[in-house]
Amino acid sequence: MIDARFSDTITRHLIYALGTDPDHATLRDWRIALSLAVRDRLVDRWLAASHAARKAGAKRVYYLSMEFLIGRLLEDAIVNLRLEDEVRAALSALGLSPEAVIQDEPDAALGNGGLGRLAACFMESLASLGVPAIGYGIRYEHGLFRQSFVEGRQVEEPEDWLTQYHTWEFKRRNVRLRLCFGGEVVEEAGKAVWRGAEAVMAQAHDTPMIGWQGRWANTLRLWSAEPLHGFDLDRFNRGDYAAAAEAEALARTISRVLYPDDTTERGKELRLKQEYFFTAASLQDILHRFEDEGGALADLPKKAAIQLNDTHPAIAGPELVRLLHDERGMPLDQAIETARGCLSYTNHTLMPEALECWSEDLMTRLLPRHMQLIERIDAAHAAENPGRKVALTAHGEVRMGELAFVMAHKVNGVSALHTDLMKQTVFAELHRMHPDRIVNQTNGVTPRRWLFSANPRLSRLITGAIGEGWVCDLDQLETLEPSLRDPAFLDAYATAKRANKADLAAWLAEAHGITVDPEALFDVQIKRIHEYKRQHLNILETIALWREIKANPNGPWVPRVKIFAGKAAPGYAFAKEIIHLINDVATVVNADPETNRFLKVMFLPNYNVSLAERLIPAADLSEQISTAGKEASGTGNMKFALNGAPTIGTLDGANVEIRDRVGEENFFLFGMTAEETEIRRAAPDHARQAIAADTRLGGALKAVSQGVFSPRDRHRYRGFVGNLTGHDYFLVCSDFTAYWDAQRRVDAAFADPGVWWPMAARNTARTGWFSSDRTIRGYMADIWGAVPIDPA
Ligand code: B1H
């Protein structure tokens, strides 16, 4: 039903909420007015859902995460409320372009990469499935930094999404919780009492998370840090202006900025403060809700499933024990048991540098009572498991993975391979003690955003073939199987992909001044820059290919566009060097008249969710080339496959499961297995041997080290090449030849439309299992014991 007056509603918001005259309104004004008009349509449903959950006394899922990488919200809300036609009609009545309005919204970039985006997909699926849930995190004033390039080098600038009116959030002035840091633990009447030295307030901000067709909505509650008391008027009056504002600045620092470190090293005091800040606020909030709804404390696990997204909120274990034992008088053993009944923990990486450890000194200084409780938890665990050696502390550090494991009733990995490796490596001893605790829940992605909304052409084709049921039941994509043998369907499939590529090519020309041939193979690697993800393997293959084309410019080359995007952690020098090299190679290769019909290279700046939504539907080939055993799961791999871009990849993370489902003939596999990498790494001189055995690799490395891509600074990549010819921990050299060969298999397949399009379409038809709805159902059944409720 089209409400002819939706445009009036938008105009009313423009005038009465923004105080702007339609004749003078900017695109931004209109976008905000539209957001408010759309918001009006979801608030009733949102309040009704929270009322229904309360009335039913439902078990709530609480998802604690340092990161929620949600991206734009307007389009999500329009799509899930099925307002597309209404909005389009209203905007065209107002003379506005829907695309321009939607793209005006800044991304909420409150995350680094996969871990944060997974949390966002989970929130969407929880709402679409009707599971009462609250996501808890931090309302960072500055999300992930904005990336640009200056002479090919990454430059970071602060991101400041909150300088604009954030239409989707509601500040809850009545939800302000007090938290402490530091101080000491004293004994009073035989009980430990923590007297904190420093206090801050956690202020709640709620954002509705609306599910498919608007049937259910949950809340994302983000905390900002505020001072206990406002401004110090006394000091101000005494003329001490800076000091008057000091307490405020200190408190606000806690929620100021997202740490941009992804899976790289951290360990900063402020980070621990952030972790405790949002975890403690969330647990207080959870207990308040529980106590409000009535019930014996021992029944908490029946009402609250608290998921820890990695170890970042792992302090939840001791904090919940403290709240139950110290503050509510539950005996310690029972408090530990009760906390464990609520808590579960997801591990997202086995990379040693990302396994959080906090120094006992820092912990004792910031959280003295928690340090004591960790020791008590450790002792209780040791007593229950005599003869087994697992310590929560070692070498003066608290090991957060072990702490999270011991305090959780379930621990999960994020792909089958990753879960197996968890059992064999970092948690081997704990797994022997608790053989039923580790479970697998392979990641997933929400089909609403990553297919239905991002790829309307393909969505229309699918819906035309099998109806619209797939959007909330992605397994239905399997019923496309007969269409895969229908030439008309395959034609339409290819047409949709070509149109997406033409759109991307037009945008690349307009936004970045780069022209590409839309008929070329679009080969895309988009993700954080990390050695284990091996963007440098990709660029070395690119260099080798360029050299080969130059040597034989009239060969039967299959035109390719190599597209890279991704940010490097600001302190990760090697990752930044990879970016620099790719940009340098792009400069030389794109300017080469001999080759540029066949090969273009580009590194798009400031990768974010919105850019991913633009690139993935237009990709032909998905690069998932991590060193086997290092990528816990990946979720980009799933989005590409769903959108009909076959994978070139290693047997790593969820690639393994994608290949199992699409079929080995529809996946370009290469490289060593996780087991083989361990053996290879032990071989002395493995890199040099690999280089000696492959002249293409040797030639590419030589070109880099001789300054072919850095003619004014010939030694720029000496260190880079030295790293690869030296220890090459991530085995770039040893996997190069296999990667090269796989790329040539890609060329051959792409050159034959009769091979390529069925392969692409099979990737779509066979990857419905990677819906985050499936993942969430798995968590509900195996971890949370939560069920959807009927909103009526
Ligand atoms: C993943 C992280 C991560 N694993 C520390 N670990 C961070 C660790 O800022 N930090 O401190 C931030 C992020 N992120 C990713 O999680 C994995 O690498 C992917 O393979 C996986 O798909 C994703 C979701 O499970």
Side-chain angles (χ1 to χ4, degrees):
M1 254 261 296
I2 304 233
D3 172 5
R5 289 170 319 178
F6 196 52
S7 60
D8 293 346
T9 311
I10 299 172
T11 309
R12 251 198 327 273
H13 278 293
L14 184 85
I15 299 173
Y16 298 105
L18 304 184
T20 300
D21 175 344
D23 290 339
H24 297 103
T26 61
L27 184 65
R28 172 145 316 157
D29 296 330
W30 284 114
R31 192 256 299 163
I32 291 174
L34 170 64
S35 302
L36 292 173
V38 171
R39 196 180 84 173
D40 287 351
R41 299 288 188 90
L42 64 76
V43 169
D44 290 332
R45 296 156 189 263
W46 182 36
L47 299 181
S50 115
H51 181 72
R54 204 173 322 127
K55 205 169 128 208
K59 182 165 190 175
R60 307 299 201 301
V61 171
Y62 296 112
Y63 200 79
L64 268 60
S65 179
M66 282 290 267
E67 307 190 3
F68 287 91
L69 190 46
I70 43 194
R72 292 181 178 138
L73 284 165
L74 173 58
E75 191 176 17
D76 225 35
I78 292 172
V79 161
N80 275 0
L81 291 168
R82 306 313 311 271
L83 292 174
E84 301 105 309
D85 293 342
E86 213 171 327
V87 166
R88 199 163 281 278
L91 291 180
S92 72
L94 293 166
L96 296 161
S97 137
E99 284 69 33
V101 173
I102 280 169
Q103 286 167 20
D104 178 67
E105 188 184 20
D107 274 36
L110 308 184
N112 275 288
L115 172 145
R117 183 54 233 177
L118 185 75
C121 282
F122 280 7
M123 289 309 295
E124 201 280 345
S125 277
L126 284 161
S128 288
L129 293 172
V131 185
I134 297 182
Y136 280 112
I138 297 178
R139 182 182 182 269
Y140 300 107
E141 205 175 309
H142 303 286
L144 188 62
F145 65 86
R146 279 212 310 262
Q147 176 199 53
S148 60
F149 303 128
V150 173
E151 293 178 0
R153 287 191 177 83
Q154 170 174 298
V155 174
E156 304 99 27
E157 278 162 311
E159 186 282 341
D160 51 10
W161 67 305
L162 285 177
T163 55
Q164 297 184 24
Y165 175 25
H166 181 28
T167 29
W168 301 103
E169 83 176 2
F170 294 83
K171 180 168 178 174
R172 301 297 189 199
R173 286 171 204 280
N174 55 335
V175 187
R176 257 171 81 84
L177 306 174
R178 188 174 179 278
L179 304 169
C180 288
F181 295 101
E184 53 180 3
V185 181
V186 294
E187 225 190 78
E188 275 176 17
K191 283 172 51 181
V193 178
W194 175 27
R195 297 219 182 288
E198 183 194 334
V200 295
M201 301 302 289
Q203 166 67 55
H205 301 259
D206 290 352
T207 302
M209 298 275 118
I210 187 91
W212 178 237
Q213 295 183 322
R215 277 199 290 260
W216 187 263
N218 286 316
T219 298
L220 175 61
R221 175 162 282 185
L222 301 180
W223 303 103
S224 68
E226 295 186 354
L228 223 49
H229 309 290
F231 185 63
D232 191 338
L233 189 62
D234 259 7
R235 278 183 141 163
F236 183 84
N237 287 339
R238 277 185 265 122
D240 199 351
Y241 306 123
E246 188 183 31
E248 169 154 13
L250 263 176
R252 290 193 196 277
T253 303
I254 294 177
S255 54
R256 185 89 64 200
V257 53
L258 166 77
Y259 272 94
D261 292 340
D262 203 58
T263 39
T264 56
E265 239 139 343
R266 297 167 315 271
K268 301 283 186 301
E269 174 167 338
L270 181 59
R271 166 82 180 197
L272 181 58
K273 276 189 155 179
Q274 289 185 332
E275 295 184 356
Y276 178 68
F277 166 76
F278 97 95
T279 304
S282 307
L283 290 176
Q284 268 192 53
D285 201 45
I286 291 166
L287 281 181
H288 288 165
R289 186 170 302 105
F290 176 80
E291 286 165 345
D292 242 31
E293 291 178 9
L297 264 190
D299 287 339
L300 187 63
K302 293 188 189 145
K303 297 290 177 186
I306 304 174
Q307 189 68 33
L308 308 181
N309 197 24
D310 217 283
T311 52
H312 317 148
I315 198 68
E319 174 66 4
L320 189 50
V321 170
R322 191 186 72 80
L323 293 170
L324 295 173
H325 173 65
D326 291 8
E327 298 208 342
R328 287 169 179 75
M330 189 185 271
L332 183 68
D333 287 349
Q334 196 194 347
I336 295 175
E337 231 12 83
T338 305
R340 188 178 290 129
C342 299
L343 296 169
S344 41
Y345 153 55
T346 306
N347 174 279
H348 291 271
T349 179
L350 305 172
M351 300 287 287
E353 63 268 37
L355 298 176
E356 285 190 297
C357 289
W358 291 106
S359 92
E360 286 187 53
D361 288 346
L362 175 58
M363 196 70 110
T364 308
R365 186 150 51 75
L366 229 48
L367 301 168
R369 179 58 182 152
H370 298 76
M371 194 61 234
Q372 291 179 347
L373 287 170
I374 289 168
E375 280 156 12
R376 302 283 294 270
I377 292 166
D378 202 6
H381 184 254
E384 283 163 25
N385 299 279
R388 303 281 199 175
K389 306 189 288 291
V390 170
L392 301 187
T393 59
H395 312 296
E397 288 189 317
V398 183
R399 299 151 81 192
M400 302 307 270
E402 280 76 0
L403 175 62
F405 191 113
V406 163
M407 284 307 299
H409 66 283
K410 290 287 173 193
V411 175
N412 77 284
V414 290
S415 74
L417 175 66
H418 166 68
T419 300
D420 279 348
L421 292 174
M422 269 168 74
K423 292 179 183 172
Q424 290 165 30
T425 61
V426 280
F427 294 128
E429 183 67 17
L430 280 165
H431 175 55
R432 273 192 286 277
M433 296 155 93
H434 309 283
D436 300 327
R437 197 165 293 183
I438 298 184
V439 294
N440 178 243
Q441 299 296 340
T442 298
N443 284 169
V445 301
T446 166
R448 270 75 60 186
R449 183 177 288 245
W450 293 107
L451 185 51
F452 185 79
S453 158
N455 197 344
R457 291 190 181 94
L458 181 53
S459 297
R460 277 194 295 271
L461 177 64
I462 296 170
T463 299
I466 62 170
E468 213 186 48
W470 60 271
V471 183
C472 58
D473 177 12
L474 205 60
D475 287 334
Q476 288 184 24
L477 292 182
E478 286 173 9
T479 64
L480 285 171
E481 207 68 33
S483 308
L484 302 179
R485 289 184 295 277
D486 171 6
F489 179 86
L490 291 174
D491 249 15
Y493 192 98
T495 304
K497 179 65 85 178
R498 286 210 186 88
N500 291 342
K501 291 171 67 178
D503 279 359
L504 177 64
W507 178 79
L508 288 171
E510 194 196 305
H512 295 283
I514 318 168
T515 50
V516 297
D517 173 7
E519 291 300 309
L521 187 160
F522 285 11
D523 168 338
V524 185
Q525 187 172 20
I526 47 176
K527 49 182 81 237
R528 286 299 286 252
I529 312 301
H530 203 296
E531 285 161 280
Y532 83 78
K533 295 179 188 279
R534 300 199 294 192
Q535 282 91 355
H536 45 343
L537 175 57
N538 189 347
I539 199 64
L540 285 172
E541 190 269 340
T542 307
I543 295 168
L545 179 61
W546 172 67
R547 287 166 43 87
E548 203 103 330
I549 299 173
K550 275 182 96 60
N552 179 15
N554 298 315
W557 302 107
V558 177
R560 269 203 202 226
V561 182
K562 289 260 188 186
I563 300 173
F564 294 85
K567 295 174 181 175
Y572 189 172
F574 197 86
K576 291 178 136 179
E577 223 173 326
I578 293 174
I579 293 178
H580 199 180
L581 175 61
I582 296 171
N583 278 323
D584 279 348
V585 170
T587 304
V588 170
V589 168
N590 297 348
D592 187 339
E594 257 185 336
T595 62
N596 68 15
R597 279 177 300 145
F598 297 121
L599 183 62
K600 285 262 167 85
V601 181
M602 61 191 65
F603 201 126
L604 300 174
N606 203 36
Y607 180 55
N608 60 13
V609 173
S610 298
L611 184 55
E613 288 169 334
R614 199 187 273 285
L615 294 173
I616 292 170
D620 290 310
L621 183 67
S622 162
E623 296 269 357
Q624 309 299 337
I625 60 176
S626 50
T627 312
K630 299 296 179 194
E631 187 71 272
S633 163
T635 44
N637 47 3
M638 301 166 186
K639 297 167 195 169
F640 280 104
L642 202 51
N643 282 278
T647 305
I648 181 166
T650 47
L651 278 182
D652 201 12
N655 292 356
V656 177
E657 289 152 271
I658 291 175
R659 180 167 171 269
D660 285 346
R661 280 165 199 276
V662 302
E664 58 179 17
E665 66 290 358
N666 303 301
F667 186 109
F668 297 94
L669 179 71
F670 75 95
M672 286 173 276
T673 61
E675 225 168 303
E676 287 164 354
T677 60
E678 299 291 332
I679 298 166
R680 178 76 188 171
R681 207 172 276 129
D685 250 10
H686 53 82
R688 267 178 236 283
Q689 279 175 21
I691 296 164
D694 189 326
T695 52
R696 293 193 185 97
L697 172 60
L701 283 168
K702 201 159 173 190
V704 174
S705 70
Q706 289 179 340
V708 170
F709 307 102
S710 52
R712 285 179 303 154
D713 180 5
R714 295 200 167 270
H715 300 308
R716 180 175 290 163
Y717 296 109
R718 264 209 186 153
F720 173 87
V721 173
N723 175 304
L724 288 186
T725 51
H727 79 302
D728 189 19
Y729 180 82
F730 294 100
L731 303 168
V732 167
C733 298
S734 296
D735 265 346
F736 180 89
T737 308
Y739 180 56
W740 170 275
D741 291 344
Q743 289 287 23
R744 303 295 73 81
R745 284 187 271 129
V746 171
D747 284 339
F750 189 75
D752 184 349
V755 171
W756 188 261
W757 295 112
M759 186 189 288
R762 278 181 219 127
N763 268 267
T764 300
R766 298 178 183 175
T767 45
W769 189 78
F770 296 97
S771 167
S772 45
D773 298 345
R774 184 269 311 152
T775 313
I776 289 297
R777 288 203 177 91
Y779 277 81
M780 287 198 287
D782 305 341
I783 300 178
W784 299 332
V787 289
I789 75 168
D790 189 351

